Amino acid sequence: MIPLITQTPHLQILAASRALLTAELHKPQYFPVLLGAALPADWPPARHDRPTQELALEELTAGGRDAAGWYAWYALRKADDTAPRTLVGAGGFLGRPDADGTAELTYSIAADWRGQGLGTELVAGLVQQAADTGLVRRLIAHPPADSPAAQQVLLRNGFVAADSSTDGRPRFERAVEPTAKAA
């Protein structure tokens, strides 16, 4: 089983569980209580829409403990003097890595929290998470073509632009070195 929580300077990044996803989808009044965090007014962000949440719940249900950590993750901004602990984004992987050790990363920050470096921290935390599993050798990402800011987040985290996907979406990738504790 892989680690299900990681820390960055301003974020706690928590792997989604079946309970959290069920609450988010079907009992939204309980979702912030289970997270122990305030929700932004514009939740969920664009790339963490209902179909994405449903797929993550379906995969966690089918895959059990082995699927934990390979789908949705929540980015919780740590409380400080200016704001309480707040859910600011979501991200994760689109499943376990393939036979070559390649996994796809995705992320999104709520509109009210963009432009504060939190997307960069979220991606850095997910890259570290991938390294900590010892299973990922390469990460790929497909940011929106019309979002230079999303592409900059990837560049700041060591991704490089690669050939576009067959469907024309931009493609970024980076190598991942397993951490000492994963090796």
Side-chain angles (χ1 to χ4, degrees):
M1 192 157 113
I2 66 174
L4 301 178
I5 192 166
T6 192
Q7 306 284 336
T8 68
H10 299 100
L11 297 174
Q12 180 181 63
I13 306 169
L14 176 68
S17 65
R18 289 178 50 209
L20 286 170
L21 286 162
T22 299
E24 185 175 16
L25 285 163
H26 305 294
K27 306 261 185 192
Q29 69 275 23
Y30 297 119
F31 181 54
V33 175
L34 288 175
L35 277 176
L39 293 184
D42 63 338
W43 190 260
R47 299 191 85 188
H48 184 70
D49 57 10
R50 188 171 188 88
T52 301
Q53 296 165 24
E54 288 171 344
L55 176 63
L57 179 57
E58 181 181 306
E59 293 294 339
L60 287 174
T61 300
R65 292 179 63 165
D66 290 338
W70 291 114
Y71 294 94
W73 288 71
Y74 297 109
L76 303 161
R77 185 179 176 279
K78 297 173 184 175
D80 63 17
D81 294 340
T82 63
R85 177 176 148 117
T86 304
L87 179 62
V88 297
F93 308 100
L94 300 182
R96 296 179 62 83
D98 64 17
D100 295 327
T102 300
E104 185 168 350
L105 177 142
T106 185
Y107 69 96
S108 188
I109 297 294
D112 290 348
W113 292 93
R114 292 182 188 147
Q116 300 178 37
L118 298 173
T120 299
E121 271 193 51
L122 172 56
V123 170
L126 291 171
V127 168
Q128 185 61 54
Q129 177 62 30
D132 288 350
T133 69
L135 301 173
V136 178
R137 301 289 180 260
R138 183 170 63 123
L139 284 170
I140 62 170
H142 295 94
D146 62 350
S147 180
Q151 296 172 27
Q152 284 298 312
V153 164
L154 294 169
L155 292 170
R156 284 192 292 270
N157 278 288
F159 284 78
V160 295
D163 290 334
S164 293
S165 299
T166 56
D167 62 5
R169 296 180 303 160
R171 178 184 169 108
F172 287 72
E173 57 186 53
R174 67 160 286 164
V176 175
E177 293 295 324
T179 59
K181 68 180 178 182

